[in-house]
Amino acid sequence: MKKEKITPVINIEKDIDISKYQTAVFWKGTELGNLYEAMVKRWKLYGSNYTGPFGASLFYNLGRIHGIREERARRKAANTKQAAGGTYNG
């Protein structure tokens, strides 16, 4: 059985607004700070195109928001499908 991909509606302005309330995760001294520094060093991301820890955190958090939204949509579709065609246990 092929897995159906659920694509939620994306409102980037709303998502960026949500990200204002999330923690920047790549700052030095944070849990992911060392990982971030290693990635910068590995791919030589220093210079004018370098977004810095804030930009990386913004994109990371936007990815999390979209992943959570996608999972909720998937679960909702599965629950709706189950209720409509449902399994009768009576």
Side-chain angles (χ1 to χ4, degrees):
M1 179 177 190
K2 187 177 179 182
K3 193 173 185 179
E4 185 178 328
K5 179 147 172 84
I6 305 295
T7 307
V9 176
I10 296 173
N11 180 341
I12 196 71
E13 290 171 358
K14 181 179 177 184
D15 295 345
I16 289 174
D17 192 46
I18 290 169
S19 72
K20 287 191 237 177
Y21 301 98
Q22 295 177 322
T23 304
V25 294
F26 291 115
W27 294 114
K28 194 173 240 172
T30 63
E31 186 176 342
L32 295 175
N34 290 338
L35 170 65
Y36 178 74
E37 289 297 320
M39 290 187 301
V40 168
K41 185 176 179 180
R42 164 68 175 91
W43 287 293
K44 299 175 177 97
L45 297 174
Y46 306 102
S48 62
N49 294 327
Y50 175 59
T51 61
F54 177 76
S57 292
L58 175 64
F59 290 113
Y60 174 84
N61 285 329
L62 288 174
R64 284 188 64 231
I65 291 167
H66 290 204
I68 290 167
R69 192 171 290 138
E70 206 171 78
E71 179 62 16
R72 286 179 182 160
R74 185 194 66 76
R75 287 182 185 177
K76 182 178 180 181
N79 288 340
T80 302
K81 187 176 183 180
Q82 188 177 35
T87 55
Y88 178 70
N89 295 327

